[in-house]
Amino acid sequence: MTETRAVRAWTLPVVAAAQLLVVLDGTIVNIALPSAQEQLGMSDASRHWAITAYLLAFGGLLLIGGRISGLLGHRRAFAAGLVGFAAASALGGLALDPAMLFGARALQGVFAALLAPAALALLTTTYAEPRERGRAFGVFAAIGAAGSAIGLIAGGLLTEYASWRWCLYINVPIAVLALAGTALVPKALPVRDAGRLDVPGAVLSSAGFAAIVYAFNEAEPRGWASPVVLGLLAGGVLLLAVFVAVERRTPNPLLPLRILAHRLRAGAFTAITLMFLAMFGFYLFMSYYTQAVLGYTPIQAGLTLIINAIAALVGSMLIAGRLYGRVPSAALILPGLLAAAAGMLLLTGMAVDTANVLPLYVVPAMALTGLGLGLVITPTAILATTGMEGHEIGAASATYNAAQQLGAALGIALLNTVATTATASYLAANAETRFDAASVHGYTVALAVAAGILIATAALTAPLLKAPKRADIERQDEPVLVSP
């Protein structure tokens, strides 16, 4: 191995460790939250801020983080993100009251918004050869695909055998190890011709995204018809519409609109957004079902997700990572969407008294959904950044991460509303039905909706992902644009 290849080889494990941090913290605190609430004296009305503060800061600042990453240089931004994320995690672990915990979680989100696009940009600039890039992104995608499940498992283990505080402390040694390896990552020079920071675009994108994500979070307790929810949604959409108008006219836009106008890239963004919408609803219902219906402990419930995590690793590393560059992207993404849909449809046959529910329903569903997620993440992550130069690499990376966050937030809020509505209707129509039976009915209805969304996504993205006659995006000299 030449010295250059040896240096490049360090980029993957370092970036993978950072990706684990970002994805892990999206779910690891969920299981620890009841213990943290009891110890810190959080109210039921405020406890969600331990989750929401992270999501709002992370999602709302991603585009700014992507731009700053380009201005600083992706390696420098990556290191700064690691240091800040570790410090915020330690602060959260030391929290003395709810406000301190919420503030630390928001600070984690701020640095995650810098870390995530810098990590993806480093992979893009380091691995240029299609087959090598496929393998590298396969590992990166495997962490992203399995990280949410790992977070739930780790959260249960740490909370039960150590303390909820270790769900935050655990980030510090991971960040330190990644930071130590950063010195061996190839340098990424700052973008010198990026121009001034697009301040109006930064404010509009952050406010618009945050308003929409917060509306999704408030939809569960308040209902979709709530004036607060409707006002936040309308305000968020309006702010993002103004943001697009501003970006069309500014000489140095925060989000160059050609990133979204590219046909293959648009298909990738659509696929990953709706895949995350369906999958985060799936994780939510499987957690409810295994604990509330099957009577599993949080650790047992988390351990069932190991199947999902292993299948995601197989799909992303062993299949998509190896085949990318040899087959069109659509040959990975579309089967991935349909495999995940099949896993969810399988679960619609469940009932409270179903015999052998684990081997007949849960295990196959976990395998199919994990496999599908792995097949989708690898090619969409590559498509999101291929062909980008300068600060556009950071912007494309940030947009890809923002698509995931938006899908996750919408999935939890939308599908939970579908489930609770279906449960209430079932109870009203069957007065003597046990509540757990009605709950399972609600879960199956929501999972059927999620499966339908994935099938529709496959149909919608198929024409967008159709490769040009010459080759896929990674082998093109000219980009294929959607007509404005």
Side-chain angles (χ1 to χ4, degrees):
M1 179 181 287
T2 65
E3 183 179 354
T4 302
R5 289 187 64 191
V7 171
R8 283 207 316 269
W10 276 100
T11 302
L12 184 55
V14 170
V15 169
Q19 172 73 349
L20 180 62
L21 282 177
V22 173
V23 177
L24 203 67
D25 267 66
T27 57
I28 194 171
V29 174
N30 292 37
I31 288 180
L33 191 54
S35 298
Q37 179 182 3
E38 181 179 356
Q39 189 173 103
L40 298 180
M42 295 182 215
S43 67
D44 288 345
S46 67
R47 65 184 177 186
H48 73 92
W49 280 106
I51 309 298
T52 305
Y54 178 79
L55 293 176
L56 288 179
F58 184 22
L61 297 175
L62 270 167
L63 288 178
I64 300 174
R67 183 60 178 272
I68 292 175
S69 179
L71 293 173
L72 291 178
H74 299 306
R75 191 177 78 165
R76 190 178 301 169
F78 181 80
L82 284 171
V83 171
F85 197 90
S89 299
L91 182 66
L94 294 169
L96 302 175
D97 55 42
M100 186 174 175
L101 177 61
F102 300 157
R105 289 286 287 166
L107 198 58
Q108 279 185 304
V110 170
F111 286 103
L114 178 62
L115 185 59
L120 190 55
L122 280 176
L123 273 192
T124 301
T125 55
T126 302
Y127 298 97
E129 192 271 324
R131 189 169 299 180
E132 189 179 48
R133 176 176 285 186
R135 293 194 185 99
F137 272 81
V139 175
F140 179 80
I143 299 297
S148 297
I150 293 170
L152 293 171
I153 297 166
L157 291 170
L158 289 170
T159 301
E160 184 158 334
Y161 294 112
S163 163
W164 66 268
R165 296 180 185 276
W166 275 99
C167 292
L168 294 162
Y169 289 147
I170 192 65
N171 295 326
V172 177
I174 299 175
V176 169
L177 287 173
L179 186 64
T182 301
L184 299 172
V185 173
K187 291 183 179 180
L189 297 176
V191 179
R192 298 300 182 187
D193 58 349
R196 298 176 61 184
L197 180 64
D198 175 19
V199 176
V203 173
L204 288 167
S205 65
S206 299
F209 192 94
I212 290 175
V213 171
Y214 189 51
F216 293 161
N217 279 274
E218 289 297 296
E220 180 181 349
R222 296 176 183 271
W224 287 98
S226 165
V228 173
V229 173
L230 294 176
L232 285 167
L233 285 174
V237 171
L238 179 61
L239 287 168
L240 291 181
V242 176
F243 167 69
V244 171
V246 168
E247 297 304 277
R248 290 175 65 90
R249 291 169 174 79
T250 187
N252 299 293
L254 190 67
L255 175 61
L257 295 183
R258 82 179 192 92
I259 291 175
L260 301 179
H262 194 292
R263 175 168 61 78
L264 288 167
R265 197 173 291 118
F269 286 142
T270 301
I272 198 62
T273 300
L274 296 177
M275 171 59 96
F276 266 62
L277 183 155
M279 284 304 302
F280 270 72
F282 170 79
Y283 289 140
L284 179 70
F285 300 132
M286 292 314 297
S287 177
Y288 287 163
Y289 177 73
T290 53
Q291 294 181 67
V293 178
L294 299 183
Y296 288 5
T297 66
I299 291 179
Q300 290 172 326
L303 289 175
T304 61
L305 290 170
I306 286 181
I307 301 162
N308 182 269
I310 292 173
L313 292 173
V314 171
S316 56
M317 293 176 61
L318 300 183
I319 300 178
R322 291 176 180 271
L323 291 181
Y324 192 86
R326 301 180 184 181
V327 300
S329 299
L332 298 170
I333 296 172
L334 299 181
L337 292 167
L338 296 176
M344 294 179 190
L345 285 174
L346 180 63
L347 290 173
T348 60
M350 292 189 310
V352 173
D353 55 355
T354 300
N356 300 316
V357 66
L358 201 63
L360 293 180
Y361 292 91
V362 176
V363 171
M366 288 288 183
L368 285 167
T369 52
L371 182 67
L373 184 61
L375 288 174
V376 170
I377 288 187
T378 299
T380 55
I382 299 176
L383 288 174
T385 54
T386 299
M388 296 287 94
E389 297 179 354
H391 82 271
E392 290 183 348
I393 295 176
S397 302
T399 304
Y400 182 76
N401 280 281
Q404 293 177 328
Q405 293 300 309
L406 188 64
L410 177 58
I412 291 173
L414 176 63
L415 296 176
N416 194 53
T417 301
V418 170
T420 53
T421 302
T423 298
S425 299
Y426 192 82
L427 284 172
N430 303 274
E432 297 183 1
T433 300
R434 288 161 36 199
F435 182 76
D436 56 355
S439 297
V440 171
H441 172 76
Y443 304 155
T444 58
V445 170
L447 288 169
V449 171
I453 290 172
L454 290 176
I455 293 170
T457 303
L460 176 65
T461 56
L464 295 174
L465 294 170
K466 183 179 179 182
K469 291 183 179 180
R470 282 179 297 166
D472 211 336
I473 182 174
E474 63 272 16
R475 297 176 221 129
Q476 291 184 76
D477 296 320
E478 300 290 335
V480 180
L481 298 178
V482 177
S483 300

